[in-house]
Amino acid sequence: MWNTLYRIAISIMLAGTLSCCIKNDIPFAKVPLSITGIEVEGQSGSAVISESESTVTVTLQETVNPKKVMLKTFTYTEKASSTLTAGTEIDLSQPYEVTLSLYQDYKWEIIGNQPIARRMIIDRQLGNSEFDVENHLATASIRKSADLKDIVLSDLKLGPEGALNDGVSGTPEVQWTFYRDFAQASVHVTFSDFVDETWTLRVYKSDKDVVTESADGWVNVAWLYGAGVAETECGFDIREDGSEDWTRVDQKYVTMDGGQFTARVPHLKANTTYECRAYSGDQVGDVVTFSTTETGSVPNMGFEDWHQEEKVICPWAQDGTRFWDTGNHGSTTLSEKDNITLSTEDIRPGSTGKLAAVLKSQKIVVKFAAGNLFIGEYKETKGTNGVLGFGRSFTSYPTRLKGYFKYQTALITEAIDKYASLKNQPDTCIVWVALGDWELQENPNSGEKTAVEVQTDDKGTGKYFDKNDSHIIAYGEMTCGENVNEYTPFSVELEYRATNRKPTALLIVCSASKYGDYFTGAPGATMWVDDFSLEYDYDD
């Protein structure tokens, strides 16, 4: 009896010991999780979702209390759980952290952006007022011929629309205190139950009536910035370095914003040094020197160079420069018949070349593949998903991409859940261009350097290009969702977000199916492209 009990006890102890030693080597699936949609009460425009930064930026109307924002709708990756749900009141006066969970946790931030259109206008002001929101300080300058003791405050708005200044709506009567170099006053600003601030107004006397602030030279274009007196004609003079004669910039190129003014000057020479100066009335500012730069080089813009590596058709010459690439590396896993982007002798009329590119969307076995062509490198295939590197080294300043295309659309039959609403709608082709200041990353397997990595995923939860990426300097796109039976010229204007940032990379992407990187589109949708070119000037 005791021997039996002893054996049972030993068996239980051994079982417990062995169970502690058993290691679970089966890894949990790694599923990237994303916020896919959000709307709050008092929102202005659409939310900006950045997959790369794991942030969602929501712009709030001026009159919304940022500490009490009601979440109307909130969506995220299917099957994930979230620490935040719709119907919750959140504080967006600072970034709000959200955790999405499915096997792993992913941290996201919701950022509230609440621009306030502030203004302070002084009679005989030079340039525009500046606002230090953190320190509640508004500053302005008056022209050198004006007297600080004659300051007239003609307009003031420091808070949300409808805020009170010293208890009154509109411009209050303020008491100025005079110092040697400036005059100062204070204003108490209130609005609803969340704005209660005391602002300092400070007005300086300038030693000038006009200032040449800066100049940014591109290739055939320069951007000139100045400050002057709003009630007078303001603009710029320009000349080549070494010339004696100034040329006045046509007023049609000048944009006024109060006392600030900007000129976009076209038709300049590349690789040339210029001088410019601002003027306001009969006064001129100091001379600023700047230089234009040279055009950039993009090989195979006519799509003449092709060769085949085993099963894959590649858009560059044998032993040539690998600048463009396609998704053919992934689509031909089973057969060389599945190349989705090919050369074609169907060229645009008037072309001096012999070949163009044709991009064919199709279903390959069980997955949809969009015909595509892009600057960059197809890095690898993971399972049935692709890893791509978009962009190549580029340091110039194009103003537009031009080219020729034609398109045959079809009804969308393939769509992931995120884009299920697009089914039975005509497919849309796209050409988009981005210029940015990314740090190029080298692929250790190939030695190729590209700017932005994209990882496709049939759940829509991969890593995608974000046109709101902070690295983007300029962006533009062309889309078409109808049949275009003959080659037609197109032009994509690059919308610059800054004129003084230095580019490092250029991205151009063409796809016969706009949402092809989400495995969504129409088998049979086909796009032809030919004779691309970059321009560096603006029309009049």
Side-chain angles (χ1 to χ4, degrees):
M1 176 68 178
W2 286 108
N3 287 339
T4 301
L5 292 174
Y6 177 77
R7 286 195 296 270
I8 293 172
I10 292 298
S11 298
I12 293 172
M13 291 172 62
L14 286 172
T17 302
L18 290 172
S19 67
C20 293
C21 296
I22 295 173
K23 182 179 180 181
N24 182 2
D25 289 326
I26 302 174
F28 287 112
K30 189 171 184 179
V31 181
L33 306 179
S34 304
I35 294 174
T36 57
I38 187 173
E39 184 180 0
V40 301
E41 288 186 359
Q43 181 173 322
S44 177
S46 300
V48 177
I49 300 174
S50 173
E51 297 278 356
S52 60
E53 302 291 335
S54 296
T55 60
V56 180
T57 302
V58 178
T59 300
L60 304 175
Q61 296 171 7
E62 287 193 352
T63 54
V64 173
N65 184 345
K67 294 184 177 181
K68 298 178 180 180
V69 179
M70 180 58 66
L71 191 63
K72 294 173 64 177
T73 62
F74 183 67
T75 58
Y76 43 88
T77 303
E78 186 181 6
K79 296 182 180 179
S81 62
S82 169
T83 55
L84 180 64
T85 58
T88 304
E89 187 177 82
I90 59 177
D91 181 357
L92 291 183
S93 62
Q94 56 189 358
Y96 187 94
E97 187 175 279
V98 179
T99 301
L100 303 179
S101 303
L102 182 62
Y103 306 119
Q104 294 88 26
D105 290 343
Y106 288 83
K107 302 291 186 183
W108 278 69
E109 283 189 339
I110 303 174
I111 300 171
N113 175 38
Q114 190 173 38
I116 304 293
R118 296 180 173 87
R119 60 182 179 270
M120 178 174 72
I121 299 177
I122 308 292
D123 285 1
R124 308 185 79 184
Q125 184 171 333
L126 177 69
N128 288 347
S129 299
E130 297 181 356
F131 301 93
D132 180 347
V133 177
E134 183 177 351
N135 295 304
H136 299 148
L137 174 65
T139 59
S141 295
I142 56 174
R143 58 196 301 180
K144 67 178 182 180
S145 58
D147 193 327
L148 281 174
K149 293 185 178 180
D150 295 330
I151 293 174
V152 175
L153 178 64
S154 58
D155 195 9
L156 185 69
K157 179 179 177 293
L158 297 173
E161 192 66 42
L164 300 180
N165 299 314
D166 285 342
V168 300
S169 178
T171 305
E173 293 286 339
V174 298
Q175 298 297 316
W176 295 99
T177 301
F178 300 99
Y179 300 90
R180 187 179 69 176
D181 299 322
F182 62 91
Q184 184 168 294
S186 63
V187 174
H188 186 212
V189 181
T190 56
F191 179 80
S192 186
D193 61 346
F194 65 93
V195 176
D196 189 344
E197 303 165 346
T198 298
W199 279 73
T200 298
L201 314 183
R202 193 173 292 167
V203 179
Y204 294 89
K205 183 174 180 178
S206 175
D207 60 353
K208 300 176 181 179
D209 282 346
V210 60
V211 177
T212 312
E213 294 185 327
S214 62
D216 300 324
W218 290 359
V219 178
N220 302 122
V221 178
W223 291 83
L224 313 181
Y225 297 89
V229 180
E231 306 92 67
T232 63
E233 180 183 304
C234 298
F236 297 92
D237 299 321
I238 191 170
R239 67 184 180 188
E240 284 189 41
D241 186 31
S243 173
E244 295 292 330
D245 300 323
W246 289 99
T247 298
R248 183 139 293 188
V249 174
D250 196 307
Q251 277 292 307
K252 67 183 178 182
Y253 301 132
V254 179
T255 301
M256 293 293 300
D257 178 16
Q260 302 289 134
F261 51 99
T262 304
R264 187 185 75 179
V265 186
H267 315 325
L268 300 181
K269 298 178 182 178
N271 284 323
T272 303
T273 300
Y274 288 89
E275 294 180 331
C276 70
R277 66 185 184 188
Y279 70 84
S280 181
D282 58 0
Q283 302 294 309
V284 295
D286 294 335
V287 173
V288 170
T289 301
F290 68 93
S291 296
T292 55
T293 186
E294 61 185 1
T295 61
S297 176
V298 179
N300 203 25
M301 291 280 268
F303 310 117
E304 298 295 318
D305 298 330
W306 301 81
H307 78 286
Q308 187 163 344
E309 295 181 359
E310 297 180 350
K311 294 183 291 184
V312 181
I313 294 175
C314 304
W316 66 91
Q318 184 78 42
D319 300 323
T321 300
R322 182 177 181 175
F323 206 85
W324 296 84
D325 212 338
T326 74
N328 289 345
H329 304 269
S331 65
T332 56
T333 301
L334 297 179
S335 171
E336 69 176 284
K337 295 180 180 179
D338 294 329
N339 279 284
I340 51 178
T341 299
L342 308 142
S343 64
T344 176
E345 294 181 354
D346 183 4
I347 61 175
R348 64 104 177 171
S351 176
T352 58
K354 296 181 179 180
L355 297 175
V358 57
L359 293 57
K360 300 179 179 180
S361 294
Q362 54 189 294
K363 189 171 183 179
I364 299 174
V365 189
V366 296
K367 272 206 170 180
F368 175 77
N372 61 81
L373 177 65
F374 59 90
I375 288 178
E377 177 196 22
Y378 188 99
K379 293 184 175 182
E380 62 176 321
T381 301
K382 288 187 175 181
T384 56
N385 299 315
V387 181
L388 296 73
F390 282 165
R392 297 285 191 179
S393 178
F394 191 87
T395 57
S396 195
Y397 297 87
T399 56
R400 64 175 65 88
L401 169 72
K402 300 184 79 171
Y404 296 83
F405 86 107
K406 59 181 180 176
Y407 186 56
Q408 185 70 40
T409 189
L411 295 182
I412 294 173
T413 57
E414 306 299 318
I416 63 173
D417 291 345
K418 183 177 181 179
Y419 294 107
S421 62
L422 296 178
K423 280 191 173 183
N424 298 317
Q425 301 296 317
D427 208 347
T428 298
C429 66
I430 186 169
V431 177
W432 61 261
V433 190
L435 188 71
D437 56 10
W438 298 274
E439 181 179 350
L440 272 66
Q441 302 295 319
E442 182 174 330
N443 181 349
N445 297 319
S446 66
E448 298 286 332
K449 291 184 177 181
T450 54
V452 180
E453 184 171 275
V454 170
Q455 299 176 10
T456 63
D457 181 89
D458 57 9
K459 302 296 183 185
T461 56
K463 184 179 180 182
Y464 297 95
F465 175 78
D466 179 3
K467 65 182 180 182
N468 297 302
D469 187 335
S470 61
H471 289 286
I472 294 175
I473 297 172
Y475 179 84
E477 65 180 43
M478 180 278 291
T479 61
C480 178
E482 59 186 17
N483 290 335
V484 179
N485 296 321
E486 304 294 335
Y487 271 108
T488 301
F490 73 87
S491 179
V492 177
E493 193 91 4
L494 279 162
E495 297 292 336
Y496 276 79
R497 301 172 186 181
T499 64
N500 61 346
R501 289 166 58 186
K502 306 297 183 185
T504 61
L506 174 71
L507 288 66
I508 300 177
V509 175
C510 312
S511 179
S513 298
K514 180 179 179 180
Y515 296 103
D517 47 355
Y518 293 93
F519 300 98
T520 295
T526 306
M527 183 184 195
W528 293 258
V529 291
D530 198 8
D531 288 345
F532 281 13
S533 62
L534 291 172
E535 295 193 351
Y536 295 86
D537 205 350
Y538 287 110
D539 300 328
D540 285 338

